[in-house]
Amino acid sequence: MRQRTAIINGALVIAVVTVGAISYFTIGGTKTASASTERTTTAVKTNLVASVAASGNVTSAVTTGVSFSGCSGKLTSISAKLGQAVKAGQELATVDPSDAQTAVTTAQNNVTAAEAGVDNSISAAQLSLSNAESSMSLDVSNAQDDLNTANAALTADTAAKAPADSISKDQQSVTQAEQSLSSTKLKDQQQVSSAELSLSQARASTSQSASSLSTAKTDLATAEQNLANCTLTSPSAGTVIAINSTLGETPSSTSSGSTSSSSGGSSSGSTGSSSSGSSSSTTSGTSTTSSSSSSSSSTGFITLADMSQLQIKSYVSEADIATVKVGDAASVVFSALAPVSATPGATSTSGTTLAGTVTEVDPTSTVSSNVVEYGVTISITAPPANLRLGQTGSATITTASKESVVAVTTTAITTLGPVKSVTVKTGSTTKTVVVTTGLVGNAQTEITSGVNAGDVLVLPATTSTSLTTGGIPGAGGLTGFGGGGR
């Protein structure tokens, strides 16, 4: 019941204050100006910009960790130098290829053996079949000759009317020759059939032998690639920012590649190393990706950075982050960076201002010393050649803008509850006018109604949120609302 009463009382008080404020501003707000302490400003028509300030360090959007892949050995040469700009395919380093060469020789021998296995299996079966067929032809021919000889003897003896026992012996010889021919054909045909079966089986096993040969060839190709990988080349153009081994050491052997990821750490200049880690086949630094923001840390034998894609990772307070979005324009001031057109050796006093674009806004906060902030990545549109990794930039992010609007100094506006007002000076008199506001800039606020360009406004003498022109009729000089003080 008490809570409900308090809510009702609060609503009534706000209603009374609002109505009283509007009545006072529109009816009783005219006064004679006091020129002794009066400060004024003029409403102007201008282009209004709202912005958020942030700062951060330069990182590369793409940093690639490059390592030897499949080839392990001691470093025999390092042609890459810190700070050197390299091209895609350029040699970076080499390792001792002895083990890789041995692997290639072994793989080649395996291929030769597999090829011989396939050829010998079929060739042996074909030779056995050929021998069986030749043996059958010879055996049958000899048996046929024996039969012909027996038949000839029988015919001759019969014609000569030889004794009966001679003719009987001739007939027995013919019968034996016929049986010998028949058994010879059967035996040799079985041998031919067996040889044909062996050849068929040899041909059937060709697929398995071919599979073994294919595996051996694949192993050879891998061994040859590993041997080629004993010479490390750059996968892409970039600048060498880290070399993590020296001659005589054995660097880790891993695959190389490049991807994008985000990291809040800063990096050293092009002749130094990166303090935000990077790993083989990954990219560290800050960048916009197709996925949500993430952080990646990895190492490689050599780290390359794409110096054409630079950005800063900055942090914005939780009070301002709601107005920042991907695509917002930004200007980044590098106070220590001399303009590219400056005289060589000259020291810049004003620094260099570069254009940029917000490419990523972290969806989750970072809390440091009880301060809640959100990471904002700003991509630098056209980084100059003398911009180094790790340099500090102060960014101004344009969150909103309007052209040709009526605006007044923000301090000229007095707020009481939902009511905003200004004090307009006309001649020697002033009048409090209720206004409607629009875009709030850094120092000026848009006025959409109540004030025209050229109107002179009186600035409040204090920063109090209560009206300085006097009490509001009917409000009883309220400085707070009912329900007790704090």
Side-chain angles (χ1 to χ4, degrees), residues 355-402:
T357 304
V358 174
T359 53
E360 184 178 1
V361 179
D362 288 355
T364 57
S365 64
T366 297
V367 180
S368 177
S369 301
N370 294 324
V371 176
V372 178
E373 297 176 314
Y374 289 81
V376 175
T377 302
I378 300 173
S379 176
I380 299 171
T381 302
N386 61 337
L387 182 60
R388 292 176 174 268
L389 301 179
Q391 286 190 298
T392 302
S394 298
T396 300
I397 303 170
T398 301
T399 56
S401 63
K402 285 187 176 181

Coordinates of all heavy atoms in Angstrom, one line a residue, residues 355-402:
A355 N 42.2 9.1 -41.6 CA 40.8 8.7 -41.6 C 40.6 7.2 -41.3 O 41.6 6.4 -41.5 CB 40.1 9.0 -42.9
G356 N 39.5 6.8 -40.7 CA 39.3 5.4 -40.3 C 37.8 5.1 -40.3 O 37.0 6.0 -40.4
T357 N 37.5 3.9 -40.1 CA 36.1 3.4 -40.0 C 36.0 2.3 -38.9 O 36.9 1.5 -38.8 CB 35.7 2.8 -41.4 OG1 35.9 3.7 -42.4 CG2 34.2 2.3 -41.3
V358 N 35.0 2.4 -38.1 CA 34.7 1.4 -37.1 C 34.3 0.1 -37.8 O 33.4 0.0 -38.6 CB 33.6 1.8 -36.2 CG1 33.3 0.7 -35.2 CG2 34.0 3.0 -35.4
T359 N 35.2 -1.0 -37.6 CA 34.9 -2.3 -38.3 C 34.4 -3.3 -37.3 O 34.0 -4.4 -37.7 CB 36.2 -2.8 -38.9 OG1 37.3 -2.8 -38.0 CG2 36.6 -1.8 -40.1
E360 N 34.5 -3.1 -36.0 CA 34.1 -4.1 -35.1 C 33.8 -3.4 -33.7 O 34.5 -2.6 -33.3 CB 35.1 -5.2 -34.9 CG 34.7 -6.3 -34.0 CD 35.8 -7.4 -33.9 OE1 36.8 -7.3 -34.5 OE2 35.5 -8.4 -33.2
V361 N 32.7 -3.9 -33.1 CA 32.4 -3.4 -31.7 C 32.2 -4.7 -30.9 O 31.3 -5.5 -31.2 CB 31.1 -2.6 -31.7 CG1 30.7 -2.2 -30.3 CG2 31.2 -1.3 -32.6
D362 N 33.0 -4.8 -29.8 CA 32.9 -6.0 -29.0 C 31.5 -6.2 -28.4 O 30.9 -5.2 -27.9 CB 33.9 -6.0 -27.9 CG 35.3 -6.2 -28.4 OD1 35.5 -6.5 -29.6 OD2 36.3 -6.1 -27.6
P363 N 30.9 -7.3 -28.5 CA 29.6 -7.5 -27.9 C 29.6 -7.7 -26.4 O 28.6 -7.6 -25.7 CB 29.1 -8.8 -28.5 CG 30.3 -9.6 -28.8 CD 31.4 -8.6 -29.2
T364 N 30.8 -8.0 -25.8 CA 30.9 -8.1 -24.3 C 31.9 -7.1 -23.8 O 32.8 -6.7 -24.5 CB 31.4 -9.6 -24.0 OG1 32.6 -9.8 -24.6 CG2 30.3 -10.6 -24.4
S365 N 31.8 -6.8 -22.5 CA 32.6 -5.7 -21.9 C 33.9 -6.3 -21.4 O 34.1 -7.5 -21.2 CB 31.8 -5.1 -20.8 OG 31.6 -6.0 -19.8
T366 N 34.8 -5.3 -21.2 CA 36.1 -5.6 -20.5 C 36.1 -4.8 -19.2 O 35.9 -3.5 -19.3 CB 37.3 -5.3 -21.4 OG1 37.2 -6.1 -22.6 CG2 38.6 -5.5 -20.7
V367 N 36.4 -5.4 -18.1 CA 36.4 -4.7 -16.8 C 37.8 -4.5 -16.3 O 38.5 -5.6 -16.2 CB 35.5 -5.4 -15.8 CG1 35.5 -4.6 -14.5 CG2 34.1 -5.5 -16.3
S368 N 38.2 -3.3 -16.1 CA 39.6 -3.1 -15.6 C 39.5 -2.0 -14.5 O 39.0 -0.9 -14.7 CB 40.5 -2.6 -16.7 OG 41.8 -2.3 -16.2
S369 N 40.0 -2.4 -13.3 CA 39.9 -1.5 -12.2 C 38.5 -1.0 -11.9 O 38.2 0.2 -11.7 CB 40.9 -0.3 -12.4 OG 42.2 -0.7 -12.5
N370 N 37.5 -1.9 -12.0 CA 36.1 -1.6 -11.8 C 35.5 -0.7 -12.9 O 34.4 -0.1 -12.7 CB 35.9 -1.1 -10.4 CG 36.2 -2.1 -9.4 OD1 35.9 -3.3 -9.5 ND2 36.7 -1.6 -8.2
V371 N 36.2 -0.5 -14.0 CA 35.7 0.4 -15.1 C 35.3 -0.5 -16.2 O 36.0 -1.4 -16.7 CB 36.8 1.4 -15.6 CG1 36.3 2.2 -16.8 CG2 37.2 2.3 -14.4
V372 N 34.0 -0.4 -16.6 CA 33.5 -1.2 -17.7 C 33.6 -0.5 -19.0 O 33.2 0.6 -19.2 CB 32.0 -1.5 -17.4 CG1 31.4 -2.3 -18.6 CG2 31.8 -2.2 -16.1
E373 N 34.3 -1.2 -19.9 CA 34.5 -0.6 -21.3 C 34.3 -1.7 -22.3 O 34.2 -2.9 -22.0 CB 36.0 -0.2 -21.4 CG 36.4 1.0 -20.5 CD 37.9 1.3 -20.6 OE1 38.7 0.4 -20.6 OE2 38.2 2.5 -20.7
Y374 N 34.1 -1.2 -23.6 CA 33.9 -2.1 -24.7 C 34.9 -1.9 -25.8 O 35.2 -0.7 -26.1 CB 32.5 -1.9 -25.3 CG 31.4 -2.5 -24.4 CD1 30.9 -1.7 -23.3 CD2 30.8 -3.7 -24.6 CE1 30.0 -2.2 -22.5 CE2 29.8 -4.2 -23.8 CZ 29.4 -3.5 -22.7 OH 28.4 -3.9 -21.9
G375 N 35.5 -2.9 -26.3 CA 36.5 -2.8 -27.4 C 35.9 -2.4 -28.7 O 34.8 -2.8 -29.1
V376 N 36.6 -1.4 -29.3 CA 36.1 -0.9 -30.6 C 37.3 -0.9 -31.6 O 38.4 -0.4 -31.2 CB 35.6 0.5 -30.5 CG1 35.2 1.1 -31.9 CG2 34.3 0.6 -29.6
T377 N 37.2 -1.6 -32.7 CA 38.3 -1.7 -33.7 C 38.0 -0.7 -34.8 O 36.9 -0.6 -35.4 CB 38.3 -3.1 -34.3 OG1 38.5 -4.1 -33.2 CG2 39.5 -3.2 -35.3
I378 N 39.1 0.1 -35.0 CA 39.0 1.2 -36.1 C 40.0 0.8 -37.1 O 41.2 0.8 -36.9 CB 39.2 2.6 -35.5 CG1 38.2 2.9 -34.4 CG2 39.2 3.6 -36.6 CD1 38.5 4.1 -33.6
S379 N 39.5 0.6 -38.4 CA 40.4 0.3 -39.5 C 40.9 1.6 -40.1 O 40.1 2.5 -40.3 CB 39.7 -0.5 -40.5 OG 40.5 -0.7 -41.7
I380 N 42.2 1.8 -40.3 CA 42.7 3.0 -40.9 C 42.6 2.9 -42.4 O 43.1 2.0 -43.0 CB 44.2 3.2 -40.4 CG1 44.2 3.3 -38.9 CG2 44.8 4.4 -41.0 CD1 45.6 3.2 -38.3
T381 N 42.0 3.9 -43.0 CA 41.7 3.9 -44.4 C 42.9 3.8 -45.3 O 43.0 2.9 -46.1 CB 40.9 5.1 -44.8 OG1 39.7 5.1 -43.9 CG2 40.5 5.0 -46.2
A382 N 43.9 4.6 -45.1 CA 45.1 4.6 -46.0 C 46.3 4.9 -45.1 O 46.8 6.0 -45.1 CB 44.9 5.7 -47.1
P383 N 46.8 3.8 -44.5 CA 47.9 4.0 -43.6 C 49.2 4.4 -44.3 O 49.5 3.8 -45.3 CB 48.1 2.6 -42.9 CG 47.4 1.7 -43.9 CD 46.3 2.4 -44.5
P384 N 49.9 5.5 -43.9 CA 51.1 5.9 -44.5 C 52.2 4.9 -44.3 O 52.2 4.1 -43.3 CB 51.4 7.3 -43.9 CG 50.8 7.2 -42.6 CD 49.5 6.3 -42.7
A385 N 53.3 5.0 -45.1 CA 54.4 4.1 -44.9 C 55.1 4.2 -43.6 O 55.8 3.2 -43.2 CB 55.4 4.3 -46.1
N386 N 55.1 5.4 -43.0 CA 55.9 5.6 -41.8 C 55.1 5.3 -40.5 O 55.5 5.5 -39.4 CB 56.4 7.0 -41.7 CG 55.3 8.1 -41.7 OD1 54.2 7.8 -42.1 ND2 55.6 9.2 -41.2
L387 N 53.8 4.8 -40.7 CA 53.0 4.4 -39.5 C 53.5 3.0 -39.0 O 53.5 2.0 -39.8 CB 51.6 4.3 -39.8 CG 50.6 4.0 -38.7 CD1 50.7 5.0 -37.6 CD2 49.2 3.9 -39.2
R388 N 53.9 2.9 -37.8 CA 54.4 1.6 -37.2 C 53.5 0.9 -36.3 O 52.6 1.6 -35.7 CB 55.7 1.9 -36.5 CG 56.9 2.4 -37.4 CD 58.1 2.8 -36.5 NE 59.2 3.1 -37.3 CZ 60.1 2.2 -37.7 NH1 60.0 0.9 -37.4 NH2 61.2 2.5 -38.5
L389 N 53.6 -0.4 -36.2 CA 52.8 -1.1 -35.2 C 53.1 -0.7 -33.8 O 54.3 -0.4 -33.5 CB 53.2 -2.6 -35.4 CG 52.9 -3.3 -36.7 CD1 53.3 -4.8 -36.7 CD2 51.5 -3.1 -37.1
G390 N 52.1 -0.6 -33.0 CA 52.3 -0.2 -31.6 C 52.1 1.3 -31.4 O 52.0 1.7 -30.2
Q391 N 52.2 2.1 -32.4 CA 52.0 3.6 -32.2 C 50.7 3.9 -31.6 O 49.7 3.2 -32.0 CB 52.3 4.4 -33.4 CG 53.8 4.4 -33.8 CD 54.1 5.4 -34.9 OE1 53.6 5.2 -36.0 NE2 54.9 6.4 -34.6
T392 N 50.6 4.9 -30.8 CA 49.4 5.3 -30.1 C 48.6 6.3 -30.9 O 49.2 7.3 -31.4 CB 49.7 5.8 -28.7 OG1 50.4 4.9 -27.9 CG2 48.4 6.2 -28.0
G393 N 47.3 6.0 -31.1 CA 46.4 7.0 -31.8 C 45.3 7.4 -30.9 O 44.7 6.6 -30.2
S394 N 44.9 8.6 -31.0 CA 43.7 9.2 -30.3 C 42.6 9.3 -31.4 O 42.7 10.1 -32.3 CB 44.0 10.5 -29.7 OG 45.0 10.3 -28.7
A395 N 41.5 8.6 -31.2 CA 40.5 8.6 -32.2 C 39.2 9.4 -31.8 O 38.9 9.4 -30.6 CB 40.0 7.1 -32.4
T396 N 38.6 10.0 -32.7 CA 37.3 10.6 -32.6 C 36.4 10.0 -33.5 O 36.5 10.0 -34.7 CB 37.4 12.1 -32.9 OG1 38.4 12.8 -32.0 CG2 36.1 12.8 -32.7
I397 N 35.4 9.2 -32.9 CA 34.4 8.5 -33.7 C 33.2 9.3 -33.8 O 32.5 9.7 -32.9 CB 34.1 7.1 -32.9 CG1 35.4 6.3 -32.7 CG2 33.1 6.3 -33.7 CD1 35.2 5.1 -31.8
T398 N 32.8 9.6 -35.1 CA 31.6 10.3 -35.4 C 30.4 9.3 -35.3 O 30.2 8.5 -36.1 CB 31.6 10.9 -36.8 OG1 32.7 11.8 -36.8 CG2 30.3 11.7 -37.1
T399 N 29.5 9.5 -34.3 CA 28.4 8.6 -34.0 C 27.1 9.1 -34.7 O 26.2 8.3 -34.9 CB 28.2 8.4 -32.5 OG1 28.0 9.7 -31.9 CG2 29.4 7.8 -31.9
A400 N 27.0 10.4 -35.0 CA 25.8 11.0 -35.6 C 26.2 12.4 -36.1 O 27.1 13.1 -35.6 CB 24.7 11.1 -34.7
S401 N 25.5 12.8 -37.1 CA 25.7 14.2 -37.7 C 24.4 14.7 -38.4 O 23.7 13.9 -38.9 CB 26.9 14.2 -38.6 OG 26.7 13.4 -39.7
K402 N 24.2 16.0 -38.4 CA 23.1 16.6 -39.1 C 23.7 17.9 -39.7 O 24.5 18.6 -39.1 CB 22.0 16.9 -38.1 CG 21.1 15.7 -37.7 CD 19.9 16.2 -37.0 CE 19.0 15.0 -36.6 NZ 17.8 15.4 -35.9

